[in-house]
C-alpha cells in the first residue's frame, strides 16, 4: 500500500506542475493534453484502488483467524507488511537486528500462518501507540485512540484469542511485538548464561515438538550391491510451555515524566523473566515450570553423571575424565558450565612443582573449550552435606532447548492500594507469557557430582 500511495502522490505532483506550466494558455498542446489525460486517469484509478484496499484490510482484520494468508494490496501480503514494520522498528531502535531476524525466522517456520498474523497485529505501529495510551491511562486511554489505533487494537485482540485457543487465560492485552520479552531475550542481549549457550526456539503454539536422533550410520558399498539399513532411531521430544508472570508497579510521577516509558517497561519485563528462567533452566523441576539441565542429568544418573576419583574432592583428573566421557560427536561444540566457586577451585589446581594445571582459565577456557559461569549450579563446598552436587557440566548445549512462546499478554491495574485500601499513587502491570525448557538428547551432556557429607 505504501508504494501505491507514493505513486499516487507523484502523479498528483506532476499534474500540479503541468497545470502550473499551462495556466496562461487557452488550450493545451497535444503532448501536454495527452499527458494530462494519463495523469488524471492514473490518479482516479489509484484513488479507487486505495478505497478498495482500505475496505479489504478492514474485512481481513476482522477475519484474522481465517487460514489463508491475507493480501493487503495488489501483490503485497501480510508478510511484506511485517517485514516493513520490522525494518522501521530496527531503524527506530525499538527492536534489535537480532530480534528482528528471530521474527523473520518465525515467518518461515512450520506455523508461519499464525506467526504472520501475530507479527502483523502486534507489530502494527498503530497498535504500539494505542498500547502506549492505554499504559498511560488504563481506564480512559482508549478514549484518545484514533480510528487506526482502534482498528489495530481490535485486530490484535482477535489474533490473541485465536492464539490462546484451548488456554484458560484469554484476557488482557497483547504485548506489542517490539516489547514482547520473548523476542528480546532470545537475542544476543540475554543475560541468562543457559540461554546464551543452549538452543533457543520461538513458537506460537502450546508446545515445541522436535525430532532427535543418535545419528545416522554411513557405509561404503561396492558396486551393484544392496545398500545396508542405515535408518536412524528417531525420538520426538515434546517440550510444553508454562505460564510465567511478573508484576511491574510504577508511580503516577513516572507515568507523567516517563518520556520513554515503553522502553523502560520492555527492560523491566525482560529482566523479570531473565531472573525467573535463570533458575528454571538450571534446576527447574519440570512441574508447572521448565525442567532444568541439572534435574534432567540427575534423573538420568550414570553414565551421564560421574563421581570424583577421591570423594568430596575436585581434582584435575576428574576434569580430564569428565571431558573424555562425552562422545566424540559432541566434542566440537562442547562447553563447560560451573559455579564461580567451582571454577576458582579449578584455577587453583597445581602440578607437583607448583605450576597451574589449567592456566588457560584466565582466558575463560578449560581444555580448549569455553567456560561459562552459571551461578545457579551448586558450588563445591565440603563443609555442606549435599548428596546431589552437580558442580561441573560439560557438553554440547544445543541439546538443551529453551522454548519461548510469543504473544505475551498484560493486564493493567488502574490504581494500587495500600494495607488500608487507599491508593498508593501507583499503577501496575501484570505480564504473563509462557516458557519451556528441557534436555532433548541426554547423551550430549555430562556432569560431575561431588557429593559431600559434612
Amino acid at each position: 500500500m505504501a508504494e501505491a500511495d507514493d505513486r499516487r502522490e507523484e502523479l498528483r505532483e506532476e499534474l500540479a506542475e503541468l497545470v502550473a506550466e499551462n495556466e496562461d494558455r487557452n488550450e493545451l498542446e497535444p503532448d501536454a493534453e495527452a499527458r494530462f489525460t494519463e495523469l488524471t486517469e492514473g490518479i482516479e484509478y489509484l484513488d479507487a484502488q486505495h478505497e478498495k484496499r482500505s475496505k479489504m484490510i478492514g474485512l481481513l482484520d476482522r477475519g484474522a483467524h481465517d487460514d489463508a494468508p491475507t493480501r493487503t494490496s495488489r501483490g503485497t501480503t501480510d508478510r511484506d507488511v511485517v517485514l516493513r514494520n520490522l525494518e522501521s522498528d530496527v531503524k527506530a531502535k525499538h527492536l534489535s537486528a537480532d530480534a528482528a531476524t528471530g521474527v523473520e525466522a518465525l515467518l518461515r517456520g512450520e506455523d508461519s500462518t499464525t506467526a504472520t498474523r501475530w507479527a502483523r497485529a502486534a507489530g502494527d505501529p498503530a497498535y504500539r501507540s494505542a498500547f502506549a495510551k492505554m499504559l498511560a491511562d488504563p481506564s480512559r486511554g482508549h478514549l484518545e485512540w484514533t480510528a487506526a489505533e482502534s482498528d489495530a487494537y481490535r485486530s490484535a485482540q482477535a489474533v490473541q484469542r485465536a492464539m490462546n485457543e484451548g488456554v484458560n487465560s484469554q484476557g488482557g492485552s497483547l504485548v506489542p511485538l517490539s516489547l514482547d520479552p520473548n523476542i528480546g531475550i532470545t537475542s544476543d542481549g540475554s543475560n541468562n548464561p543457559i540461554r546464551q549457550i543452549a538452543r533457543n526456539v520461538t513458537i506460537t503454539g502450546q508446545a515445541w515438538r522436535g525430532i532427535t536422533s543418535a545419528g545416522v550410520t554411513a557405509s561404503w558399498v561396492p558396486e551393484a550391491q544392496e545398500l545396508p539399513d542405515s535408518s536412524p532411531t528417531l525420538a520426538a521430544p515434546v517440550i510444553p510451555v508454562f505460564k510465567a508472570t511478573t508484576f511491574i508497579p510504577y508511580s503516577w510521577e513516572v507515568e507523567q515524566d516517563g518520556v520513554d516509558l515503553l522502553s523502560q517497561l520492555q527492560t523491566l519485563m525482560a529482566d523479570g523473566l531473565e531472573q525467573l528462567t535463570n533458575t528454571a533452566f538450571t534446576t527447574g523441576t519440570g512441574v508447572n515450570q521448565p525442567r532444568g539441565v541439572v534435574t534432567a542429568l540427575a534423573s538420568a544418573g550414570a553414565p551421564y553423571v560421574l563421581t570424583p576419583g577421591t570423594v568430596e574432592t575436585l581434582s584435575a583428573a576428574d576434569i580430564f575424565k569428565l571431558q573424555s566421557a562425552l562422545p566424540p560427536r559432541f566434542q566440537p561444540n562442547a562447553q563447560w558450565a560451573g559455579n564461580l566457586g567451582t571454577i576458582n577451585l579449578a584455577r587453583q589446581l597445581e602440578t607437583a612443582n607448583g605450576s597451574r594445571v589449567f592456566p588457560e582459565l584466565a582466558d575463560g577456557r578449560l581444555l580448549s573449550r569455553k567456560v561459562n559461569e552459571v551461578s545457579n549450579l551448586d558450588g563445591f563446598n565440603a563443609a555442606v552435606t549435599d548428596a546431589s552436587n552437580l558442580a561441573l557440566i560439560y557438553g554440547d548445549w544445543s541439546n538443551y532447548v529453551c522454548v519461548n512462546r510469543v504473544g505475551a499478554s498484560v493486564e493493567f491495574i488502574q490504581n494500587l492500594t495500600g494495607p488500608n485500601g487507599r491508593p498508593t499513587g501507583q499503577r501496575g502491570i501484570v505480564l504473563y507469557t509462557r516458557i519451556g525448557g528441557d534436555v532433548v538428547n541426554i547423551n550430549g551432556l555430562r556432569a560431575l557430582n561431588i557429593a559431600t557429607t559434612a
Side-chain angles (χ1 to χ4, degrees):
M1 180 179 290
E3 292 87 351
D5 289 343
D6 290 343
R7 179 57 179 160
R8 184 171 52 160
E9 189 61 29
E10 289 174 3
L11 294 182
R12 285 176 173 170
E13 291 176 358
E14 185 178 347
L15 180 61
E17 291 175 0
L18 182 63
V19 171
E21 291 172 358
N22 294 274
E23 62 181 351
D24 295 332
R25 299 180 181 179
N26 293 327
E27 59 181 24
L28 296 174
E29 295 291 336
D31 290 345
E33 184 174 0
R35 185 55 181 160
F36 179 86
T37 302
E38 291 176 358
L39 291 172
T40 53
E41 289 179 351
I43 292 170
E44 289 173 358
Y45 172 78
L46 291 174
D47 283 342
Q49 291 301 309
H50 178 81
E51 184 177 355
K52 289 180 181 179
R53 287 195 300 270
S54 298
K55 290 180 180 179
M56 183 174 64
I57 290 173
L59 291 172
L60 292 174
D61 283 343
R62 287 195 292 272
H65 54 280
D66 294 341
D67 290 335
T70 60
R71 292 185 175 273
T72 58
S73 66
R74 178 177 295 184
T76 302
T77 64
D78 277 349
R79 184 176 284 104
D80 297 325
V81 175
V82 171
L83 294 177
R84 283 203 300 269
N85 288 341
L86 288 176
E87 183 179 1
S88 297
D89 279 342
V90 172
K91 287 182 178 178
K93 300 189 183 303
H94 295 320
L95 201 64
S96 70
D98 289 329
T101 300
V103 176
E104 289 183 39
L106 270 179
L107 305 184
R108 299 187 298 270
E110 293 182 3
D111 198 6
S112 60
T113 301
T114 300
T116 302
R117 290 190 199 122
W118 162 77
R120 169 70 194 275
D124 188 338
Y127 182 66
R128 180 184 172 91
S129 59
F131 186 90
K133 291 177 181 178
M134 192 161 52
L135 173 64
D137 189 347
S139 64
R140 295 182 299 275
H142 67 283
L143 299 177
E144 299 180 14
W145 285 347
T146 64
E149 290 169 343
S150 296
D151 290 342
Y153 184 83
R154 283 193 294 270
S155 296
Q157 292 303 95
V159 169
Q160 184 185 34
R161 286 193 296 270
M163 291 180 66
N164 286 342
E165 185 176 356
V167 182
N168 291 332
S169 179
Q170 297 185 17
S173 299
L174 190 69
V175 174
L177 184 152
S178 58
L179 302 183
D180 194 318
N182 276 336
I183 292 297
I185 60 181
T186 56
S187 66
D188 290 342
S190 175
N191 294 319
N192 186 324
I194 299 295
R195 277 194 189 279
Q196 291 175 0
I197 59 178
R199 177 184 175 189
N200 279 269
V201 298
T202 306
I203 64 171
T204 58
Q206 314 305 321
W208 176 79
R209 292 170 172 79
I211 296 177
T212 62
S213 168
V216 178
T217 302
S219 305
W220 297 107
V221 181
E223 182 179 357
Q225 276 200 16
E226 181 181 1
L227 303 183
D229 182 6
S230 300
S231 58
T233 301
L234 298 178
V238 177
I239 302 180
V241 287
F242 303 95
K243 184 170 66 176
T245 66
T246 184
F247 173 64
I248 304 169
Y250 60 99
S251 68
W252 293 347
E253 290 82 0
V254 168
E255 173 188 294
Q256 291 178 333
D257 301 337
V259 177
D260 199 10
L261 184 55
L262 284 181
S263 295
Q264 296 179 46
L265 176 64
Q266 180 186 37
T267 301
L268 290 171
M269 290 191 299
D271 181 67
L273 289 182
E274 289 278 46
Q275 298 305 316
L276 183 68
T277 56
N278 270 341
T279 301
F281 291 155
T282 310
T283 58
T285 64
V287 179
N288 296 323
Q289 60 183 273
R291 189 167 76 139
V293 63
V294 168
T295 306
L297 282 165
S299 299
Y304 310 105
V305 178
L306 285 67
T307 56
T310 302
V311 295
E312 302 186 38
T313 304
L314 174 65
S315 68
D318 296 325
I319 295 175
F320 283 105
K321 179 174 69 173
L322 181 60
Q323 185 178 57
S324 299
L326 188 71
R329 68 183 298 251
F330 300 108
Q331 291 285 358
N333 298 316
Q335 297 186 45
W336 300 89
N339 179 285
L340 180 61
T342 302
I343 296 172
N344 283 337
L345 281 175
R347 286 192 175 103
Q348 299 173 53
L349 294 174
E350 297 180 346
T351 64
N353 62 8
S355 300
R356 292 279 187 260
V357 179
F358 305 114
E360 72 270 34
L361 273 172
D363 298 322
R365 301 185 71 79
L366 177 60
L367 298 178
S368 301
R369 298 293 186 268
K370 182 181 178 182
V371 177
N372 300 276
E373 181 187 336
V374 180
S375 59
N376 290 298
L377 283 175
D378 284 342
F380 170 57
N381 187 346
V384 177
T385 301
D386 198 344
S388 180
N389 184 25
L390 274 61
L392 198 59
I393 298 177
Y394 177 72
D396 181 345
W397 287 83
S398 65
N399 293 290
Y400 187 86
V401 178
C402 305
V403 184
N404 314 284
R405 185 184 187 274
V406 296
S409 301
V410 295
E411 296 278 356
F412 294 96
I413 302 175
Q414 173 67 8
N415 283 297
L416 303 183
T417 57
N420 297 315
R422 293 188 292 273
T424 61
Q426 294 175 294
R427 307 198 195 284
I429 291 179
V430 178
L431 167 79
Y432 50 97
T433 187
R434 296 165 70 195
I435 299 172
D438 204 348
V439 173
V440 293
N441 186 357
I442 197 69
N443 199 35
L445 296 161
R446 293 293 186 274
L448 179 65
N449 181 29
I450 309 178
T452 56
T453 56

